[in-house]
Amino acid sequence: MNICLGNRTADTVRIYFEKAKQPEIRAVLPQKAQTVEEALEDYRETLLANAKSYGKIIIADGNYIGDIWCYCIDVNEDPNAMLSFCIFEKEYWSHGIATEAVALFLQEIKTKYEFNTIGAFSFADNLASIRVLEKNGFTVLEEFSEEGRDSKYLQYINV
């Protein structure tokens, strides 16, 4: 399977917003934007020169199947950014696509931003996402409960 990253557009933002409403995705990935208009405004902010967020779309064999992004970008903070990803097309789950997409994205953002540390949060029961992160060099640094939900904080250190 050919996995690559592509550029986000207003159209892909609209598609992602609708696809991310699936109950299986909402259960493991909280969504900041509550309306498509909010999602589009967040996207427009990523296009600014001083953007604190940067994202790509995930493409498998020519099909748009998910998104990957970093946010809270600040090279003077630790971590330098936070990472999030989502494969919204369920038929592509458990095929190693997210693992490869994260590896590709890490290569790109480490070069683009010269990051040293990248953080990620995951619900503790989202074993698939935790495994994707661990396969890409992230280590669990903290386990905690928030609003009754067990979570983990993982971090990647660029050495």
Side-chain angles (χ1 to χ4, degrees):
M1 186 172 303
N2 181 31
I3 311 303
C4 64
L5 302 178
N7 293 324
R8 295 174 74 225
T9 65
D11 287 339
T12 63
V13 169
R14 286 183 188 92
I15 292 167
Y16 176 84
F17 182 82
E18 290 304 318
K19 297 279 188 170
K21 290 181 180 180
Q22 298 172 74
E24 299 91 339
I25 292 173
R26 284 219 178 262
V28 295
L29 185 65
Q31 301 295 318
K32 177 182 172 267
Q34 297 302 304
T35 66
V36 72
E37 290 79 15
E38 287 177 24
L40 287 165
E41 179 57 31
D42 288 346
Y43 162 69
R44 285 189 285 274
E45 287 179 14
T46 70
L47 303 176
L48 301 175
N50 62 344
K52 298 291 182 193
S53 180
Y54 175 77
K56 291 288 200 172
I57 63 171
I58 302 169
I59 301 168
D61 289 340
N63 298 307
Y64 169 42
I65 64 163
D67 279 37
I68 187 165
W69 61 97
C70 58
Y71 57 98
C72 296
I73 296 171
D74 188 339
V75 294
N76 297 313
E77 291 291 324
D78 186 29
N80 301 141
M82 298 296 295
L83 176 77
S84 212
F85 58 91
C86 175
I87 305 289
F88 55 69
E89 296 294 356
K90 291 178 257 184
E91 64 268 24
Y92 290 93
W93 290 0
S94 301
H95 294 287
I97 296 167
T99 299
E100 188 171 338
V102 168
L104 291 169
F105 191 69
L106 286 174
Q107 282 180 316
E108 182 173 332
I109 64 173
K110 286 187 306 185
T111 301
K112 182 177 178 72
Y113 295 102
E114 298 180 6
F115 289 155
N116 290 314
T117 56
I118 302 166
F121 287 105
S122 179
F123 291 126
D125 59 356
N126 188 350
L127 301 178
S129 286
I130 292 168
R131 187 69 186 124
V132 165
L133 292 165
E134 289 175 334
K135 285 180 177 180
N136 277 286
F138 283 75
T139 303
V140 175
L141 295 186
E142 184 181 351
E143 297 184 38
F144 59 95
S145 185
E146 188 172 68
E147 297 180 12
R149 188 95 188 250
D150 291 339
S151 297
K152 294 185 180 196
Y153 171 74
L154 300 91
Q155 193 171 70
Y156 174 90
I157 300 173
N158 185 21
V159 289

